[in-house]
Amino acid sequence: MSSMTQEVLATIDDLQNRYIAALDGKDITAWAGTFSEQDEATYICRSAENEAMGWPIALMLDDCRARILDRITFITKIWKGTFQDYRTRHFTQRLSCEQESDTVFRVRSNFSIEYTLDPNASSTLATGLYEDVVVIEKGEARFLSKRAVYDTTVLPNYIVYPF
Amino acid sequence: MNMKAGAAPDLAWPSDVTDVPSEVFVRKDIFEEELERIFYGPYWHTVGHEAEIPNPGDFKTIDLGRVPLLVARGKDGVVRVFINACSHRQNQVETAPCGNRKGFECPYHRWTFKNDGSLAGCPGSEDFSPKFRKEDYGLKQVNMTNVFGLILVSLADNPPDIDTYLDRGKQNLEKQIGHKEGLQLLGYQKVRYGCNWKVIMDNDGYHAPLLHTGFRLLGWQSGGGEQFVRDYSAGVESQLVPGKSTGILKDSSLIEFKDSQWDAGSFVTGIFPATILVKHMDVISIRFPIVRSVDCTEIHYAYFAKGGDSEETIKHRVRQASNLLGPCGMISMEDAAIFRRIQLAAEARGTAIFQKGVKDLKSIPNQFLQNDESPNIPRWDHYRRLMGFSKKGEA
Ligand code: FES
Ligand SMILES: [Fe+2]
């Protein structure tokens, strides 16, 4: 983390904040908008158990830009009107940020997602680690890849929104 | 280990075969009685598949009702199922959900067990009671059987013959997991649903094209399918043919059917009481149930590839399994959401009434179309009799 400027860190933190604000605000299009427009952009959410054991299964596996956009379709069209909605609040803490090239950074952050399904009972939906590759494209930070690895192996509910 | 079933809880069952009293989903006394009669009784319960523990020393832990089990493959390659309790003072032996060990150690007094369950060491045994004999103090093994690698156990001493138990279901199982080169584990999705286990098993053929917008938007047509129901197994065998793509997905490779050579069919099998196996397109999945309480059911969705699959096929199975059929799956998240809503509304203790495919209110049907909900009727009747609930107006 030698020559990381405050400015770069602020740009990266701002991206993470836009990400969680999009999710907590249920703006799934804005969520997709935090990812790079390159075809190789990926979002992968999987359990720490699968990760530790080397099993490839994920909970959400968007391994290209088109899949990320299709997740918008899942949520806004395919599942529309079928589920009891819940609110989320994401909390993150950046642990490390390493520069890989002029425009590429590797960022690791803890995350915790509180959710409210019953209005009188907020509780933890999942907690884990974000492993992100961030690119600065046209002066703006975007995720080239985001991996959400959750410790909450047995999730407490069905899952609608990305972690 | 035979537990004692009590008297049937007090419940008057409606006389029309279509009617199910919702209180069976919410009454704690009924759940407790189900544990004794069904989950600890003379029936078969799935606890794993051999492919989850492929190597000597591999193990997994899982609960059957509230009884902790340890499923382990010994150094000799044999899979055995044990009560996960030390033969000394009944301390829990293994805490990890899965792993690989040469043997198991109980930390309390450091007794050690080989991975075939036998007692290897017990410090201070020269001072043990007159009834101690080392060969009698291995981990307690439970009755088990294996069907196409699927491991089933019974805590009762007198479980039924497995082929009779599975009946028509065995044919479905063969199409789902009976691949000659075996299966390989791809991993799990694990989740707790806020509902009674019977809510999940009561899912029907009527809802599929209606609840799951995904089927419609993707242009999938269901060909002529068959639903079957036996006492301890039920299922569907159908041809789920992707129709004309409606272009709704930008990446339609997700829903390609690549391994149609093996069997083009779509298969769902339920094994009484609470296991479901699903093979849709290239997803091979076993859903292991753990009944936690009257209103909480944990499901471990285990996903598999076929032995001998190419790397490309495995990759395809992984992305399909990960996105289509679990707690966040494109054509299954809605089921989970419905399960919870049924559970909440069951508190009103109303009556659930089946309609689709029902011709007669007093006789149990045995012929069904793919989108009927009438196959649930014989299943409920079987449950009712097993639990000892008599119908209103009957003795
Ligand atoms: S309880 Fe296990 S060694 Fe004593
Ligand atoms: Fe369904």
Side-chain angles (χ1 to χ4, degrees):
Chain A
M1 231 211 274
S2 50
S3 61
M4 199 79 58
T5 64
Q6 286 305 316
E7 195 187 348
V8 167
L9 285 178
T11 309
I12 287 168
D13 289 346
D14 176 59
L15 171 65
Q16 196 77 279
N17 287 341
R18 274 191 281 136
Y19 179 91
I20 67 179
L23 285 177
D24 293 347
K26 306 231 173 97
D27 186 347
I28 193 71
T29 307
W31 167 80
T34 62
F35 289 86
S36 160
E37 280 173 13
Q38 299 177 42
D39 283 347
E40 303 77 62
T42 60
Y43 169 70
I44 293 169
C45 172
R46 61 197 229 100
S47 72
E49 180 181 83
N50 285 334
E51 185 88 355
M53 299 300 290
W55 294 319
I57 285 290
L59 181 71
M60 294 175 245
L61 202 171
D62 300 337
D63 55 0
C64 58
R65 170 94 190 146
R67 283 274 330 125
I68 291 174
L69 297 176
D70 283 342
R71 190 159 298 282
I72 305 177
T73 308
F74 279 26
I75 296 169
T76 59
K77 294 210 175 80
I78 295 180
W79 294 337
K80 194 172 170 221
T82 63
F83 59 92
Q84 183 184 358
D85 206 355
Y86 57 85
R87 292 182 188 214
T88 62
R89 297 290 158 197
H90 287 64
F91 299 86
T92 62
Q93 178 168 37
R94 174 165 46 78
L95 300 174
S96 67
C97 177
E98 285 166 29
Q99 183 152 16
E100 202 150 282
S101 73
D102 279 357
T103 54
V104 178
F105 300 83
R106 283 186 184 275
V107 187
R108 287 158 60 88
S109 317
N110 282 342
F111 72 83
S112 165
I113 308 170
E114 300 294 304
Y115 82 122
T116 309
L117 182 62
D118 294 330
N120 61 350
S122 302
S123 55
T124 301
L125 182 66
T127 180
L129 191 67
Y130 285 141
E131 298 176 333
D132 304 330
V133 177
V134 175
V135 281
I136 313 278
E137 293 172 338
K138 298 173 205 143
E140 197 191 14
R142 297 273 190 117
F143 295 112
L144 183 57
S145 73
K146 186 173 192 76
R147 284 161 43 84
V149 179
Y150 57 91
D151 303 331
T152 324
T153 304
V154 182
L155 296 165
N157 198 57
Y158 54 85
I159 301 296
V160 178
Y161 304 104
F163 286 180
Chain B
M1 174 155 155
N2 265 335
M3 313 243 180
K4 271 277 152 300
D10 193 26
L11 174 78
W13 202 278
S15 61
D16 288 349
V17 298
T18 45
D19 294 10
V20 174
S22 287
E23 62 190 289
V24 294
F25 297 131
V26 295
R27 272 177 52 180
K28 289 196 178 73
D29 60 329
I30 292 179
F31 178 77
E32 293 301 321
E33 186 60 22
E34 287 168 353
L35 282 181
E36 302 298 336
R37 283 195 193 214
I38 298 175
F39 292 92
Y40 308 152
Y43 308 98
W44 288 107
H45 304 276
T46 61
V47 294
H49 187 279
E50 287 219 342
E52 295 176 82
I53 47 170
N55 304 309
D58 285 351
F59 70 88
K60 72 177 269 194
T61 55
I62 189 166
D63 294 338
L64 170 48
R66 297 186 187 113
V67 176
L69 300 177
L70 170 61
V71 186
R73 191 183 286 274
K75 196 174 134 197
D76 54 4
V78 176
V79 172
R80 299 175 181 84
V81 183
F82 307 102
I83 302 288
N84 187 11
C86 179
S87 55
H88 177 217
R89 295 258 302 280
Q90 301 289 306
N91 180 46
Q92 179 195 33
V93 177
E94 181 56 60
T95 56
C98 56
N100 183 286
R101 291 201 201 294
K102 286 205 173 68
F104 301 96
E105 184 186 56
C106 175
Y108 199 177
H109 313 91
R110 303 283 177 192
W111 285 26
T112 52
F113 302 89
K114 295 184 186 163
N115 53 24
D116 64 5
S118 59
L119 181 60
C122 41
S125 57
E126 55 285 1
D127 298 326
F128 283 9
S129 83
K131 80 179 195 178
F132 178 78
R133 282 173 54 231
K134 198 172 170 190
E135 57 275 25
D136 294 344
Y137 279 76
L139 295 174
K140 187 175 164 32
Q141 228 174 305
V142 301
N143 280 318
M144 67 163 275
T145 187
N146 174 325
V147 181
F148 306 118
L150 186 66
I151 304 158
L152 301 101
V153 300
S154 179
L155 297 180
D157 298 328
N158 53 338
D161 170 70
I162 188 65
D163 287 336
T164 315
Y165 192 80
L166 293 175
D167 200 319
R168 166 68 175 83
K170 191 170 177 182
Q171 215 176 300
N172 253 35
L173 288 185
E174 182 167 16
K175 303 267 179 72
Q176 295 177 297
I177 58 171
H179 186 247
K180 62 183 185 311
E181 285 175 74
L183 302 180
Q184 45 181 321
L185 181 66
L186 298 176
Y188 301 94
Q189 293 167 339
K190 298 181 180 177
V191 65
R192 283 186 179 188
Y193 293 137
C195 69
N196 186 268
W197 63 276
K198 300 188 296 300
V199 170
I200 300 175
M201 298 308 286
D202 202 24
N203 211 338
D204 59 70
Y206 176 26
H207 84 286
L210 299 166
L211 172 67
H212 301 291
T213 314
F215 284 128
R216 251 180 299 144
L217 292 183
L218 296 168
W220 282 346
Q221 294 140 16
S222 154
E226 186 212 339
Q227 288 202 68
F228 64 89
V229 183
R230 302 290 186 272
D231 275 356
Y232 302 107
S233 75
V236 191
E237 172 173 355
S238 66
Q239 306 294 321
L240 187 69
V241 261
K244 257 201 311 258
S245 168
T246 55
I248 184 115
L249 292 185
K250 291 188 162 34
D251 179 3
S252 55
S253 69
L254 181 70
I255 49 166
E256 273 170 18
F257 191 3
K258 296 200 173 177
D259 188 21
S260 55
Q261 300 301 33
W262 181 25
D263 200 305
S266 182
F267 301 90
V268 180
T269 313
I271 304 176
F272 181 84
T275 303
I276 297 172
L277 294 91
V278 174
K279 182 198 164 285
H280 274 326
M281 289 179 294
D282 297 312
V283 179
I284 305 168
S285 160
I286 305 173
R287 302 175 180 177
F288 296 107
I290 304 166
V291 292
R292 293 292 178 196
S293 64
V294 68
D295 59 359
C296 178
T297 307
E298 187 169 315
I299 308 279
H300 294 184
Y301 294 75
Y303 296 100
F304 302 89
K306 282 158 48 179
D309 270 346
S310 70
E311 227 166 272
E312 194 203 330
T313 305
I314 290 176
K315 195 176 159 215
H316 172 68
R317 287 195 204 279
V318 166
R319 64 200 299 268
Q320 208 165 58
S322 298
N323 288 321
L324 290 188
L325 286 166
C328 183
M330 183 184 70
I331 43 173
S332 60
M333 189 287 292
E334 308 99 307
D335 290 299
I338 292 294
F339 297 157
R340 197 185 126 80
R341 292 165 72 155
I342 294 217
Q343 185 69 26
L344 292 174
E347 291 292 351
R349 304 199 177 192
T351 305
I353 306 170
F354 295 112
Q355 304 288 350
K356 189 85 163 61
V358 179
K359 298 201 169 62
D360 186 279
L361 295 180
K362 300 298 171 195
S363 63
I364 305 295
N366 58 17
Q367 293 223 307
F368 319 100
L369 299 176
Q370 182 168 356
N371 293 117
D372 284 346
E373 55 182 349
S374 45
N376 297 34
I377 292 173
R379 278 158 36 202
W380 277 111
D381 191 57
H382 176 248
Y383 166 84
R384 180 187 67 76
R385 285 181 282 120
L386 193 156
M387 290 297 291
F389 299 134
S390 40
K391 287 203 169 191
K392 273 178 197 153
E394 283 175 10

